[in-house]
Amino acid sequence: MNTATPSSVPTDLSCEHVTVTPSILYFGTPVVLLSTENEDGSFNLAPMSSAWALGHVIVLGLGVGGQTAHNLRSRRDLVINLPAPAQWPAVERLAPLTGRTPVPVDKRDSFRFEPDKFAAAGLRPQPSELVRPPRVAECPMQLEARVAQVRPDASGEFLIVEAQVLKVHADPRIVVTGSQHIDPAAWSPLIYNFRHYYGLGPELGHSFRSRTA
């Protein structure tokens, strides 16, 4: 087994490479908790780790059979909640749960139905201002959003959801004082790296476009 730590990985990239076939390609993406509305007016909360931003549009990758995908096809409001690294146990408590009943066939070996995901995770719902699903009170950043487009991916196993962010809520401790900017020195997302949870390490540098340097 390769026991190299990130600090011991060589920086010389001219070395020989090997061909591998990973079972998944989660090479380090932020974890988000998506709150959506169920058909009966209750709310679902689900973790996912395929999310990225294009300006104020967040692109999400969702399994086609999950409750979140089911909800967003017909009820477009959602909240994209970003937990901090220390909140990974709450995320993991949600991981084996589904809001779909009956449990989809491909999930029956590992998942169980849970109607109250907030309580199961030990998290509190917080009313939103522009959308019906609640925010996660404990998450340092919460994005109220509305779906603009839903389409299948190339494999047919996932949905690609484009959501327009309507309002951003942030813990004041992660905002640069007197500004509208998130302080990257104070904020660290929870990262899902090949099915392991990580936070960010020390700053290495900043882009020439940074406004918080």
Side-chain angles (χ1 to χ4, degrees):
M1 181 176 69
N2 183 358
T3 58
T5 63
S7 60
S8 66
V9 173
T11 56
D12 179 6
L13 300 183
S14 64
C15 61
E16 285 284 332
H17 291 73
V18 297
T19 300
V20 297
T21 309
S23 60
I24 46 90
L25 290 175
Y26 286 126
F27 43 78
T29 50
V31 174
V32 301
L33 299 177
L34 298 181
S35 46
T36 58
E37 184 178 3
N38 298 317
E39 290 176 339
D40 62 2
S42 62
F43 299 106
N44 187 58
L45 185 66
M48 54 89 68
S49 57
S50 295
W52 54 290
L54 288 169
H56 281 74
V57 173
I58 307 295
V59 183
L60 309 168
L62 306 170
V64 295
Q67 185 66 18
T68 299
H70 176 75
N71 287 346
L72 292 180
R73 287 187 181 103
S74 54
R75 288 167 295 282
R76 298 164 52 215
D77 287 358
L78 72 157
V79 181
I80 303 163
N81 303 277
L82 285 85
Q87 293 171 314
W88 77 265
V91 174
E92 187 60 17
R93 284 194 290 271
L94 285 169
L97 308 179
T98 178
R100 199 99 175 102
T101 182
V103 177
V105 173
D106 62 339
K107 291 188 172 184
R108 289 178 185 170
D109 290 341
S110 306
F111 290 77
R112 66 176 176 84
F113 171 64
E114 172 54 59
D116 191 348
K117 299 276 203 70
F118 279 89
L123 299 170
R124 293 177 295 119
Q126 179 181 20
S128 296
E129 297 181 14
L130 300 178
V131 299
R132 281 184 50 78
R135 296 174 278 157
V136 176
E138 291 81 1
C139 284
M141 199 181 310
Q142 311 149 333
L143 314 179
E144 296 187 39
R146 183 162 293 132
V147 170
Q149 184 173 345
V150 179
R151 64 184 185 276
D153 81 322
S155 72
E157 297 180 8
F158 301 93
L159 289 183
I160 297 174
V161 176
E162 296 180 26
Q164 181 73 45
V165 174
L166 306 176
K167 180 165 282 196
V168 178
H169 305 271
D171 184 321
R173 291 172 293 185
I174 66 170
V175 178
V176 176
T177 303
S179 82
Q180 299 293 314
H181 302 304
I182 301 299
D183 184 352
W187 162 243
S188 175
L190 174 62
I191 299 294
Y192 195 56
N193 183 9
F194 285 97
R195 290 181 173 158
H196 292 253
Y197 297 105
Y198 289 87
L200 296 183
E203 179 183 355
L204 301 176
H206 63 265
S207 164
F208 77 96
R209 302 178 65 182
S210 172
R211 297 182 182 180
T212 56

